[in-house]
Structures are given as C-alpha cells and as structure tokens.
Amino acid sequence: MTDDTTATAGSTADAGPVLSIDELSVSLGATEVLDGVSLDVGRGELVGLVGPNGAGKTTLLRTARGTLAPDSGVVRVAGDPVADLSAKALGRRVATVPQDTSIAFSFAVREIVEMGRTPHVPRFGAMGDDDHATVERAMERTEVAEFADRPVTEISGGERSRVLLARALAQETPLLLLDEPTASLDPNHRLRTFETVAELVEEGRTAIAAIHDLDTAARYCDRIVVVADGGIVADGAPESVLTGATVGDAFDVDAVVTPDPVTERPRVTALADLDPDAEPEIPPVDRVHVVAGGGRAGSLLTRLDRAGVEATVGPLSAGDSDAAVADALGLETLEVGALEGVDDAALERLGVLVERADAVVVADVELTAGLAPVLSAVAESGTPAYCIEERPTNERTRDEAAAEAYRRLRVGEAGVAASTPELLAALA
Amino acid sequence: MSVARRATGWSAGLAVALAGVVVVSAGIGPVPVPAETALKAVLGAIALPTISGGEVVWYHPFEFSLRSSHRAIVMRVRLPRILLGALVGFALGAAGTVMQGFFRNPMADPSIIGVSSGAAVGAVASIVVPASIPFGLGLEPAAFAGALLTAFGVYAIATENGRTPVATLLLAGVAVQTFLGAVTSFLLLQSGESMRRVVYWLMGHLDNAGWADFVPVAGVPVLPLFVLGCFVVLLAYARDLNVLLLGEEEAAGLGIEVERTKRLLLAVSAVVTGAGVAVSGVIGFVGLIVPHVMRLVVGPDHRILLPTAAITGSAFLVAADTAARSAPQELPVGIVTAAVGAPFFLFLLRKRRVHEL
C-alpha cells in the first residue's frame, strides 16, 4: 500500500492519463457486466458515460474507484493501479458524487461537506484553517453555503445532490466521478450542476459522469462514451457518437439525433413510446407512402417500420425532424430543397412513390401552400388514401388552396383516423 | 462553535453531573451520610499515582478528618460499588454508541454480536459446572472469555473473503444469541442449589463490589485503565464512524479502510463490553437507550456523541444502582435499568424521535 501525500488536483498535470482502464472485466455475482473494457481519460476531459440501464456504467465507475475488484484488467488513477493504493491515497485522487442521495442522519450540511476532507486530515489531528477554507469554497461554488447549518435530512433532494457535489469538491481530487448526478434534479438544477462540473474541468480537473439524459451529455461533455452489452460501443465527440444508428443500437430503441437549434449540440429524441415486446400490429399492406412534415409523423413511421411495412416519405425538407426519423429508420425519402419547394421534378418522383404504394397516409400535418399540389396528386393517383386528424382541419390550415385540396381528398374515398393507432387499425 | 469545543463543553458539564450523582449516591444507604461528609469522603478517596523507588505510591491530595465509620462506609462499601457502576455504565454507553453507528441500526446495543450471551454462558457454566471451565478460571474471567469467544465466532461466521457485511453480522449475532440463550437455560435447569446465584448474575448486579473488582495489579487498578484505553481508541475513530454512517461504499470513497476499521471497532467494543459484563452481569438497556437519548441532545457527530454517551451511561447506571440498593429489598440493577429504560424508550418511540439514528 502506498500512502502518497502529493497527488492533489494540480500535481498530476502531464503524467499521462488521469484514468486509465485496461482490458477490464468485471462480474457481479455470476453475471459478467463488463468484458474487456479499455478507456483512457486525460486531464481536463469531461467524459459522458451513456448507455441503457444495466449496461455497466455504474459498474465501470465503481470499479474505477476501487469499490469493485475486477476479474481481470487494471484500473490506474494518475498512474498507479487502484488496487495498490490505500483508501486514503485513493480518496485524495478520486471523488465520487453518488447516485443515491439519501442521507439518514441529521448531520448539518457543513458536516457532510467536511467529511470530504477525511482523506486529508490525520487521525489524531483536527481540520486546519486550510481545510475549513476548502470546505467553505466548495460550499460557495455549489451554492449550498446559504443552508450550511441546516440538517441534511431537512433539505430537498436537489439541494442534497449539490451538497454531495460540494463534498466531492472538498476532497480536492484530480478526478471526479459522477454517477447519474442529476437523475433526481429538475432541469434548472441539472443545468447548474453540470455548469459547475464543466467549470471545474476547465480549471484542469477531470470528470467522468454517467448520464442518463443524452441531451445533457451532448451539451456538456467533450467526449461521449457509449457503454452497452458489457463493452464500449462508441467513443468520441458528441457529434460523431450520438448518431441515430449508434444510439439506436446501444439503447435498442429508435432514436433520432438532430442539432439543437439553440446550443447546436446534438439533440436526441427517442421514438420508443413503443413496447418492444408487444405484438407488432401488422396491417396487410406491404408498402405505404406517408405525407409527413413538422415532426407529426415520427411515431407513425416508427410503428410502420416496426410492423414490417415498407414506408416511403415525402416530400420533406432536409431539416424536418420527420426527415431525421426517416433517415434513422433508413426509409426512402423524397427530400426537397428549402428554396425550390415542391417543383415538377419532385411531383414526378412523388407520383412514382404513390403509384408503388398500397396506401397513402396523410399525417396530421400543417396544410401549407407547398402541400396543395401534393394532395391533389395523391387524390388523382387512385391509390387508397388515409388521413390522420389529431387536430381539426381549420386549426392547421396555413393556405386555402392546400385546405381545399385536402377537403377534396377527404370527400373522395379517403379513410379518416383520429390517431396513429386508429390509423394502423384502419389499414389492417 | 468547533467540534472540539462542543465536545469538551458537553463532556465537562456531564462530568460535573456525574460527580454530583456519585456524591449523592455515596450519601444514600442504610446509614445516611450527610452530603458534606459524603463529599469530603469522596474527595478524600481521590488518589494520584506517584512512582517512588520503583513502586506505585498513591498520593491523596485531599485529606479531611471524618468520623471513621462514615469514612469506612463510603470508602469500603459504597464507593467501590459506585465507581464500578460508573465504569460499567461508561463502557456500555460507549460500546452502545459505536454499535448503533456501526450497524446503522437503532436496535443495536453492545451485546448485539453475542457478547452478553457468551459472557452469560461462561459465567453460568463456572457457577453450575465449574469443572467444565478450562484452567479453573473464576467467574469473571470465564465470563470475559465467553464474551470474546462468542464475538469472535460471530465475526468469523459472518466473514467471507475478508468482507463482513453488516447485515450478515447482525443476523449471525441474533442466531448465536438465541443458541447461547438455549445453552444458558439448559445450564440453569441443571443448576440446582446454585440457581439463585445464577439468576442473580444473569439479571445484572453490582452488589458486593469491592476494590478487588477493579483488578488491581501491583496496586494499579487495571480494569479502569483498560476501559479508558479502549475508549480512547474508539474516540480516535469517531470521525471514521461518522463517515461510515453514510454507507460503506461512500466511506471507502472518502478514504476509510472500511473492513479494517469495522474489525477494529467491533473488536474494541466487544472487549470493552465483555469486561463490563464480566464484572456486573448482563445489564440491559444502558447501551441501547443512553446513546439514543444523547443523539437527540447533541446530534449524530460521534466526536461529541461518544464521550457524552459514555459519561451519561456512567451517571445513569450509578443512579439506577442507587435506586436498586435503596429498594426495600435490594434489586439487581439490571431490573431497574430495564424497568426505567424500556418505558422511556417507548415514550421516545411514540414521540417519533428515535426513528433515525
């Protein structure tokens, strides 16, 4: 056992990765949770660990801080194998913000934060001025100073998780591990917690956070590591890792990734309001064309895809989130440029798709000018048409000509459904 | 206010209260001794060890002229019993605090891992079948040995691959206690004429205490030094005990060697409890209630809780024993502590103040 006194936040500056995991395999009981995982995290990185529940994120973190002994493989923190470090030495290198924030004992908030100094204070010594100053600083950063003297049992869950972050800061470690630190927080607190962590990382600390919320991960992390099925399935910048395909595979859901209009970071939308074990509804149609737009058809496209129906979509502009869904599902999509709109070429291609389809579904879309020729073409094609009307027609009328075309389509033989499930039933 | 100052302040205040209880108790008995005389007699008993010519010589800083009968009653009869009660109460209060914190369980008390039932088997066997005790140990050593063997056995049963889960330890302790209870009952059935003595021991008692109970070796009372030594060790781990309250995984993350610390806390608590039980029999409820009450008063921080609970345990047991020996027919003190303690505990329970540690 080595008991070092030197490894504080600053001293591991350039000596290789702060955390180095090499061929790590870990079992819980008889279940192998991690299998041959390797991961290096350098100083000043904020790594988001994402993956479905039970994928091994928490296990990875627990092994990284020496709580779990691996079956094989080595975890090094600031150069030294975790297994060779005394608890005290490790407590000076790694601090953890735990997932479960319940504390059953009525310690004052300050007392809890002071416990973060445990690895720095000798057994027969008291906390010195430096220790107290560190504790106060940690409490101010995390905005818990104002209730420092309240019992920790009497503050809210959000406040408690900030107290635990303060405690981890008071440990003054180069490496911070956060296990779903914001799972119990409202969006405002979640933001503030990650802002704080991001600041710390800018100051030179390293943080690894298991994050359930992919948008948060994408927004704050420089690097996303996707853990699934006992291994790392993707590792890199959020833009390159958080693609519909990767997320879909890892989480076993259908997901769409679009750039967030404000932060420009990837935004992930899971489409799985579907029970994967449920019997797929199988309409006796092979091919359906969907007139989509504005994100109104995401659920329909996913369900059709699940049911084994070959769906085509269009016309859609490239930035439409329905287009992203179609892309994620690999559907044939009639895309139109934002400037050209639905021109003759597009109508011609639409004609082919509609001709090939057994049915056309008009989703609950906004009736804009560009849609008028599309709806007319559908009405004239002779292919059976269905409309989903979650909202009344007049609420989504943006253009009279389009509304008129829509009405003519309905007056014809079109079936009308009030919701996606109802439509699927109608198709069957 | 800093922790050290709060701990010192509380401890000093409670120590004064304890001194008061000791003096009052020294005045109470079949022969009433006036308060002033009792105070003088107690002060006169204070002795400081000095080394002179390689031998321990006791120096008495206070000397008063008192009626020799009063002095003899206080010095020879009452004070040994009072101080023994104080010592046992101190040990039980401290060990109870540590066990409740260790197990994070409000039902834990010093005998939770079978120390008391082990001591009982040792003591009862030495009364009923003295021939069964190896090395011809007397009652107290047999009780002490029984306590330690049991504690170690429970620990060994609950340990696997160097880890001792607290829940397993608790269950193993309960099971072993039940088993040893059966052994004690069986021995009790075989006890014949010594049954009264056995029952009396089992109920917890401090009567017939004399200075010999402090295990003097070469003029130095070993038992108090031993208890104090254990207490100092526990106090040194008070901060670790606080951190352990957050859970073992958290504690490990904060730099605590969890298994080693648990082992040490268990061993020291078992030893100090065993020592107390060996000289006084099974005195219940002191180690359960006193830590609870003090936690309500001073909070969960063991750096303050441990010394205050120990001193309060002292005062409580001295007071309870004073009541026990003042009853028309002298009672075993274990009856008094349980009879007073249990209703008080239930009162706290109904007030919903003891749901957490």
Side-chain angles (χ1 to χ4, degrees), chain A residues 72-162:
Chain A
S72 63
V74 184
V75 178
R76 286 189 171 79
V77 177
D80 297 310
V82 163
D84 293 352
L85 292 170
S86 69
K88 199 164 188 165
L90 198 56
R92 289 179 185 160
R93 297 187 184 198
V94 187
T96 307
V97 181
Q99 182 172 17
D100 174 21
T101 63
S102 65
I103 298 173
F105 306 93
S106 56
F107 286 108
V109 166
R110 177 178 280 108
E111 291 173 326
I112 293 286
V113 180
E114 282 175 355
M115 289 184 190
R117 298 303 295 165
T118 307
H120 298 273
V121 182
R123 172 166 313 289
F124 293 99
M127 292 205 341
D129 291 344
D130 285 357
D131 296 308
H132 284 293
T134 306
V135 167
E136 295 303 321
R137 266 201 314 276
M139 290 199 297
E140 268 157 38
R141 279 205 93 142
T142 49
E143 299 169 49
V144 301
E146 65 232 50
F147 49 87
D149 296 312
R150 299 238 322 263
V152 75
T153 43
E154 290 172 19
I155 61 177
S156 74
E159 289 168 332
R160 206 152 49 231
S161 96
R162 269 151 60 206

Side-chain angles (χ1 to χ4, degrees), chain A residues 49 55-64 68 99 179-180 210, chain B residues 249:
Chain A
L49 221 49
K57 300 185 300 268
T58 300
T59 302
L60 188 59
L61 292 181
R62 291 176 77 202
T63 316
L68 294 176
Q99 182 172 17
D179 190 3
E180 307 273 2
Chain B
E249 198 169 324

